[in-house]
Amino acid sequence: MSRIAPYVVDVSAGAREFLSRRTVDPLPVVGALFGPVFERLRTLLGSVLGGGATIEMRLRQSSSTHTVEAFRSRQLAWGIVAALLGLGVSLAWARVRPITPALVAAIVVVAAVFGIVLCDRMLQRAAVKRLARITSELPTVLEFLTLSLSAGEGILDALRRVGTVSRGELAAELSAVVTEVNTGVPLAESLNTLAAGMHLPALTRCIDQVTGALEHGTPLAEVLRAQAQDARDDAKREFLEVAGKKEVAMLVPLVFLILPVTIIFAIYPGIFVLQFGL
């Protein structure tokens, strides 16, 4: 099984499961020695934290190639490294000032939890940033698709052209859709899979409109043009909402920087003239 599994991993689910049990990412050497221990700790971590579906969604949104199990292994590794760092800090502190074993244990536990949470936050941040880039690229891509359709190309050829010419996150996703269609997957099914994996409202709404137009025979150019305009209106509305929420934060440089400098420039010449006259 060890010799054959690497050669049939692309067609055998059992081979993939067998290889995933024998390797632990991101510590393959240590995982080969302590594989069962890491697997139990990873299972325990997954049962405590839960949210496997959420992790899978964030991995998809961030375009990560890791599985949920691989991400749990990375979280576990981060927690162990953070715990070791906490232990080192507590031992160094103990040389300067005696501390109780309970405090040492508390520092190690807090450091481990911090490492695990930090790994999850970094994944969440990567997913949010990538979704923001896709949202900003959506109006331009839709307008380019509209231009290609107006020139007489079909929807699949237009998607292929966008994936070939454009450089961006959304263009990469559309290229993956075209690849799936070339392997025999229906276009509507591939687009719906993309929408279900990204969980981006603007993209989901656009894909729903496109698939509906494909089913009912509605002209796609007009649909995409309307979706592009809606996406730009949503972006403007979002900017206005962000500006409204950060109105107090925008007053900080005005009150503490611009206003004092203005007062100094207005008052200092008069004070200088009075002092010079005296």
Side-chain angles (χ1 to χ4, degrees):
M1 292 179 63
S2 300
R3 294 182 179 181
I4 296 176
Y7 298 98
V8 296
V9 67
D10 55 339
V11 295
S12 174
R16 289 192 294 269
E17 183 180 358
F18 178 75
L19 291 178
S20 65
R21 289 200 305 264
R22 297 181 67 250
T23 58
V24 177
D25 186 52
L27 300 175
V29 178
V30 179
L33 298 175
F34 303 100
V37 178
F38 274 100
E39 186 172 357
R40 292 181 181 178
L41 291 176
R42 185 178 62 190
T43 304
L44 179 62
L45 180 64
S47 62
V48 171
L49 297 179
T54 303
I55 296 298
E56 185 177 2
M57 179 186 68
R58 289 176 181 172
L59 289 172
R60 176 66 182 86
Q61 291 174 346
S62 62
S63 187
S64 176
T65 57
H66 295 292
T67 61
V68 178
E69 291 76 12
F71 178 76
R72 291 302 186 194
S73 298
R74 175 171 293 184
Q75 269 190 312
L76 181 60
W78 280 51
I80 293 174
V81 172
L84 293 176
L85 290 177
L87 180 61
V89 170
S90 60
L91 292 178
W93 188 11
R95 290 185 178 182
V96 179
R97 181 179 180 181
I99 57 177
T100 61
L103 182 58
V104 174
I107 293 175
V108 171
V109 171
V110 170
V113 172
F114 177 78
I116 293 173
V117 173
L118 180 61
C119 185
D120 182 74
R121 294 300 180 186
M122 290 185 65
L123 176 63
Q124 182 179 2
R125 184 179 180 182
V128 171
K129 284 186 175 181
R130 187 166 183 268
L131 290 180
R133 290 195 297 268
I134 291 176
T135 302
S136 63
E137 295 170 3
L138 183 60
T140 305
V141 171
L142 291 178
E143 289 178 353
F144 189 49
L145 288 175
T146 303
L147 181 62
S148 299
L149 291 173
S150 300
E153 290 186 336
I155 180 62
L156 185 59
D157 293 332
L159 292 175
R160 184 181 294 108
R161 184 178 296 275
V162 169
T164 303
V165 176
S166 303
R167 295 293 181 270
E169 302 293 341
L170 185 55
E173 294 292 341
L174 295 179
S175 297
V177 169
V178 173
T179 303
E180 290 183 356
V181 173
N182 291 333
T183 59
V185 180
L187 177 59
E189 181 179 350
S190 181
L191 290 175
N192 289 327
T193 302
L194 172 61
M198 299 307 297
H199 289 274
L200 188 61
L203 182 61
T204 302
R205 183 170 59 250
C206 177
I207 289 177
D208 290 340
Q209 293 292 330
V210 170
T211 54
L214 290 175
E215 292 177 358
H216 299 91
T218 307
L220 286 175
E222 297 298 330
V223 173
L224 292 177
R225 186 177 291 109
Q227 290 298 317
Q229 185 62 36
D230 292 342
R232 293 194 182 278
D233 292 340
D234 290 340
K236 293 179 182 179
R237 184 164 53 251
E238 184 177 356
F239 281 134
L240 291 176
E241 291 178 357
V242 171
K245 292 179 181 178
K246 295 186 176 182
E247 182 178 359
V248 178
M250 290 188 295
L251 291 176
V252 173
L254 176 63
V255 174
F256 293 100
L257 295 177
I258 300 176
L259 186 60
V261 172
T262 305
I263 293 175
I264 290 174
F265 273 94
I267 297 178
Y268 183 76
I271 296 176
F272 180 78
V273 170
L274 291 177
Q275 291 179 349
F276 182 77
L278 294 175

